[in-house]
């Protein structure tokens, strides 16, 4: 009862209320995922609660569902392409933003952010129309490059904030030891940036894999990505197969979380 | 041979490395050029084209514009069409109420993060970051399972005898709102936590040493300091909820039309390019207006730390 001692009633009730809402929100965040995972093991062929028994058949069904597997592979390809493009385009841009000695470094950082600030569907529509006018029809490649443009800002920001906290003495030491700028970049700066690049890679990959707003307008007619396929599946069927897909995704999310927390630490994600 | 090897070793960096130095020394704009080119081709030019399509009459044949004349007709058509007003109003209401509810539910979590111990902090981070790594569709599906006719909520309520007939929540405004709030909650919490954990913890201690109650400290110290976080979180949640179509599509059933689902239908199903362009532009402009309003309000209520916090 130490907690109550010397506190006014208003204080106890007020803070109690705030903490109660906090606990409610945390339960709200996690409960739906737990319910879905439970459902994914249910034996019945329609979504209901509580489950009647335990089975793995929905997980098996996911990998036997040809279109779903293909969609997963497509999204995997998009995710990887987006990640590679974001590293190739984003890391040098972050270098230029932080190390640049030219006018307009701020303008450059803002410019990179612009496509990210525009609603995804507006970017998707714009790319679709522009592509149609120059004869580029929607495809897995158009989808990848569009999502890259949409999300590259995240990579730039992550690397930028790490770069700004690096000790400049390290590179000066390399220069004093006669390293060329390229050598010091390769052997000093780059290894120090690795955690930030890795964290950026996780987030850009997830966006490439999961993005719907840009993808729904730019994806190829034949190679549908997972979100588009899932949206159709959710709308037109009620079998727990989607729950099994959720189960798979939750496992992947936990893996990604472990990667992020060991590379830059969870508390750094926000910066 | 040996001479050549020695020669190579003592010569300054080769041509390739010299080029790399020039490009990557980081003093010039060169490293950013590829990104600038790609962003210009894939974002800036398409936006310009979208703008021009919204403000002109055009004729398309074989995938190319053959004639184009300036016209405000599409815009005035849209602005006089009641369907547009209803749809955009619905989106705006939904986005604003979602943002407000996310703030109401998210702020206490950020407060708990600030005052909690190491494991509390860790738990909060895991619970807020993990959902962002799974697909929004999958998280919306969870609400289909919970709110459906034979779903978790109805079964629980029926079994406990609180109701004797299944509630109809799916395909209503409430289902959409509940789903929206839960799905975007992490997006509100993370910026709040980021800004709050940047504060000097001695400020809270000082306030308590001076005799303020905890609720008083929350109101007079923590809340004013966290205004920038409230601004960032609200801006992010608003943009996402104003322009999403996953939740309305799945939880609202086929007839819940919001701005995003309307644009999708215009562009993909009925192939009405000018309508699609105009709707996209209206969406972008109205979104921007609210974002500017949020920025102004944030700036107005930010105390003490003006110019420090982003």
């Amino acid at each position: 009862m130490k907690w109550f001692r010397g506190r006014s009633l208003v204080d106890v009730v007020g803070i109690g209320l705030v903490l109660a809402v906090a606990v409610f929100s945390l339960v709200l965040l996690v409960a739906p995922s737990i319910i879905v995972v439970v459902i994914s093991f249910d034996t019945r062929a329609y979504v209901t609660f509580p489950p009647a028994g335990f089975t793995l058949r929905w997980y098996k069904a996911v990998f036997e569902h040809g279109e779903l597997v293909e969609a997963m592979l497509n999204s995997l390809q998009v995710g990887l392409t987006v990640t590679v493009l974001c590293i190739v385009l984003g890391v040098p841009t972050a270098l230029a933003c932080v190390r640049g000695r030219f006018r307009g470094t701020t303008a450059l950082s803002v410019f990179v952010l612009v496509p990210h600030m525009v609603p995804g569907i507006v970017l998707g529509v714009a790319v679709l129309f522009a592509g149609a006018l120059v004869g580029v029809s929607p495809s897995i490649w158009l989808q990848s490059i569009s999502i890259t443009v949409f999300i590259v800002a995240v990579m730039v920001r992550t690397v930028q904030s790490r770069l700004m906290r690096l000790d400049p003495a390290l590179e000066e030491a390399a220069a004093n030891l006669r390293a060329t700028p390229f050598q010091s970049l390769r052997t000093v700066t780059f290894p120090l940036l690795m955690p930030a690049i890795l964290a950026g890679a996780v987030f850009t990959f997830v966006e490439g894999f999961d993005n719907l707003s840009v993808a729904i307008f730019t994806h190829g007619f034949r190679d549908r990505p997972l979100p588009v396929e899932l949206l159709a599946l959710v709308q037109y069927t009620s079998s727990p197969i989607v729950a099994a897909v959720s189960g798979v995704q939750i496992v992947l999310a936990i893996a990604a979380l472990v990667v992020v927390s060991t590379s830059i630490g969870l508390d750094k994600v926000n910066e | 041979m040996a001479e050549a090897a020695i020669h190579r070793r003592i010569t300054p960096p080769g041509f390739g490395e010299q080029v790399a130095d020039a490009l990557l020394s980081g003093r010039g704009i060169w490293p950013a050029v590829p990104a600038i080119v790609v962003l210009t081709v894939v974002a800036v030019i398409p936006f310009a084209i979208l703008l021009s399509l919204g403000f002109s009459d055009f004729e398309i044949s074989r995938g190319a514009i053959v004639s184009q004349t300036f016209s405000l007709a599409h815009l005035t058509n849209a602005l006089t069409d009641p369907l547009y007003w209803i749809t955009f109003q619905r989106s705006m209401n939904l986005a604003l109420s979602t943002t407000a509810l996310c703030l109401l539910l998210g702020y206490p979590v950020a407060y708990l993060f600030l005052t909690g111990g190491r494991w509390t902090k860790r738990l909060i981070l895991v619970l807020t970051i993990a959902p962002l790594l799974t697909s929004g569709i999958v998280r919306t599906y969870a609400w289909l399972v919970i709110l459906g006719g034979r779903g978790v909520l109805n079964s629980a309520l029926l079994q406990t005898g609180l109701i004797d007939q299944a509630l109809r929540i799916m395909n209503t405004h409430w289902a959409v709102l509940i789903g929206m709030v839960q799905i975007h909650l992490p997006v509100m919490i993370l910026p709040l936590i980021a800004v709050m954990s940047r504060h000097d913890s001695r400020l809270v201690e000082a306030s308590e040493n001076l005799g303020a109650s905890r609720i008083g400290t929350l109101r007079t110290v923590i809340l004013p300091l966290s205004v920038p976080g409230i601004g960032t979180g609200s801006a992010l949640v608003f943009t996402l909820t104003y322009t999403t179509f996953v939740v309305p599509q799945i939880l609202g059933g086929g007839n819940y039309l919001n701005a995003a689902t309307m644009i999708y239908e215009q562009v993909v199903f009925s192939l009405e390019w000018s309508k699609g362009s105009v709707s996209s532009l209206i969406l972008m402009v109205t979104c921007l207006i609210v974002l500017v309003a949020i920025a102004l309000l944030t700036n107005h209520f930010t105390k003490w730390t003006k110019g420090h916090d982003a």
Side-chain angles (χ1 to χ4, degrees):
Chain A
M1 287 291 102
K2 202 176 84 187
W3 201 73
F4 291 104
R5 200 176 301 150
R7 309 270 187 199
S8 75
L9 188 65
V10 179
D11 192 30
V12 170
V13 171
I15 290 293
L17 205 64
V18 170
L19 293 181
V21 174
V23 172
F24 172 78
S25 301
L26 289 175
V27 172
L28 189 69
L29 279 177
V30 72
S33 309
I34 292 174
I35 290 171
V36 165
V37 171
V38 171
I39 290 278
S40 71
F41 295 113
D42 192 0
T43 42
R44 278 181 287 198
Y46 53 90
V47 169
T48 184
F49 211 80
F54 179 88
T55 176
L56 284 174
R57 77 183 238 232
W58 303 115
Y59 284 89
K60 216 173 133 227
V62 169
F63 295 100
E64 281 166 358
H65 194 293
E67 282 141 41
L68 212 49
V69 173
E70 206 172 300
M72 262 187 230
L73 293 177
N74 284 335
S75 279
L76 200 65
Q77 190 192 330
V78 174
L80 290 174
T81 315
V82 167
T83 309
V84 170
L85 284 174
C86 279
I87 293 174
V88 170
L89 296 175
V91 177
T93 306
L95 276 169
C97 284
V98 178
R99 297 285 160 83
R101 295 285 171 274
F102 55 93
R103 279 190 202 177
T105 45
T106 320
L108 181 62
S109 333
V110 174
F111 178 71
V112 176
L113 262 179
V114 168
H116 192 64
M117 301 296 285
V118 172
I121 58 167
V122 177
L123 181 67
V125 172
V127 171
L128 175 70
F129 286 172
L133 290 180
V134 293
V136 178
S137 47
S139 67
I140 202 163
W141 301 109
L142 190 67
Q143 185 198 342
S144 304
I145 191 78
S146 310
I147 299 175
T148 302
V149 165
F150 184 58
I151 201 67
V152 72
V154 170
M155 178 66 83
V156 175
R157 288 289 286 268
T158 318
V159 175
Q160 220 178 341
S161 77
R162 174 97 184 166
L163 256 178
M164 286 194 277
R165 273 180 288 139
L166 283 189
D167 188 352
L170 292 169
E171 284 195 342
E172 281 160 22
N176 287 343
L177 293 169
R178 298 252 171 124
T180 62
F182 178 65
Q183 279 171 334
S184 83
L185 186 77
R186 192 169 51 92
T187 57
V188 178
T189 317
F190 212 66
L192 289 170
L193 285 182
M194 242 5 234
I197 297 174
L198 196 58
V202 169
F203 282 97
T204 49
F205 176 81
V206 169
E207 186 68 30
F209 193 82
D210 272 344
N211 177 289
L212 179 75
S213 56
V214 178
I216 202 158
F217 294 106
T218 53
H219 75 85
F221 180 65
R222 285 215 173 72
D223 23 50
R224 303 217 289 179
L226 189 60
V228 174
E229 192 69 45
L230 273 180
L231 186 64
L233 207 63
V234 170
Q235 280 183 290
Y236 304 116
T237 68
S238 68
S239 91
I241 194 166
V242 185
V245 176
S246 312
V248 174
Q249 280 216 334
I250 288 167
V251 172
L252 291 178
I254 292 170
L257 212 56
V258 172
V259 170
V260 173
S261 66
T262 49
S263 63
I264 60 165
L266 281 181
D267 44 336
K268 295 281 190 299
V269 168
N270 250 336
E271 296 168 6
Chain B
M1 275 301 276
E3 239 171 60
I6 291 164
H7 184 67
R8 205 179 303 141
R9 209 175 306 148
I10 58 169
T11 43
F15 181 69
E17 268 188 49
Q18 274 178 3
V19 171
D21 281 353
L23 293 180
L24 293 169
S25 64
R27 302 283 176 264
I29 198 170
W30 295 110
V33 166
I36 294 174
V37 171
V38 171
L39 288 180
T40 306
V41 173
V42 188
V44 176
I45 294 174
F47 282 139
I49 290 174
L50 192 71
L51 202 65
S52 85
L53 289 179
F55 285 99
S56 60
D57 279 321
F58 53 90
E59 230 178 283
I60 292 175
S61 108
R62 292 181 195 171
I65 296 180
V66 280
S67 72
Q68 191 174 20
T69 49
F70 178 79
S71 151
L72 286 172
H74 304 302
L75 187 66
T76 49
N77 281 347
L79 290 179
T80 50
D81 186 347
L83 179 71
Y84 273 77
W85 285 97
I86 295 169
T87 308
F88 275 98
Q89 242 169 29
R90 186 183 289 139
S91 293
M92 187 61 83
N93 280 339
L94 184 64
L96 289 177
S97 40
T98 306
T99 309
L101 283 172
C102 279
L103 187 59
L104 209 64
L105 291 176
Y107 200 90
V109 177
Y111 176 74
L112 183 62
F113 182 88
L114 192 69
T115 52
R118 215 168 118 231
W119 283 101
T120 315
K121 283 188 204 294
R122 209 169 274 181
L123 180 74
I124 292 175
L125 281 178
V126 168
L127 290 186
T128 45
I129 296 171
L132 294 179
L133 298 172
T134 60
S135 140
I137 298 163
V138 156
R139 282 182 285 149
T140 314
Y141 171 80
W143 286 102
L144 205 67
V145 174
I146 296 169
L147 300 176
R150 283 182 295 194
V152 179
L153 188 69
N154 269 325
S155 324
L157 289 176
L158 283 170
Q159 268 169 18
T160 52
L162 281 171
I163 52 168
D164 41 51
Q165 207 180 350
L167 295 174
R168 229 192 115 255
I169 311 171
M170 274 306 299
N171 300 351
T172 65
H173 176 76
W174 296 109
V176 176
L177 186 64
I178 293 170
M180 286 287 231
V181 170
Q182 195 262 347
I183 283 162
H184 296 98
L185 196 51
V187 183
M188 179 64 87
I189 296 174
L190 284 177
L192 285 175
I193 287 178
V195 168
M196 280 195 190
S197 49
R198 239 182 285 160
H199 299 159
D200 193 335
S201 59
R202 283 172 302 182
L203 288 171
V204 174
E205 286 162 25
S207 158
E208 278 171 2
N209 287 344
L210 290 170
S213 62
R214 278 168 307 172
I215 202 91
T217 307
L218 172 59
R219 211 182 37 150
T220 55
V221 179
I222 300 174
L223 191 62
L225 277 172
S226 61
V227 168
I230 296 177
T232 314
S234 305
L236 286 173
V237 172
F238 177 80
T239 310
L240 285 172
T241 50
Y242 188 53
T243 63
T244 185
F245 50 14
V246 175
V247 184
Q249 194 91 321
I250 297 176
L251 298 180
N255 43 25
Y256 193 96
L257 199 66
N258 77 339
T261 43
M262 181 173 78
I263 293 174
Y264 180 66
E265 279 177 13
Q266 287 168 341
V267 171
V268 175
F269 286 124
S270 39
L271 299 170
E272 295 165 305
W273 280 33
S274 21
K275 275 193 179 176
S277 309
V278 167
S279 314
S280 305
L281 293 173
I282 295 177
L283 184 78
M284 204 160 85
V285 171
T286 44
C287 187
L288 207 65
I289 291 172
V290 176
L291 290 183
V292 169
I294 290 175
L296 289 177
L297 281 173
T298 308
N299 200 35
H300 179 75
F301 286 108
T302 302
K303 293 175 186 168
W304 314 317
T305 53
K306 225 165 238 180
H308 295 285
D309 271 328

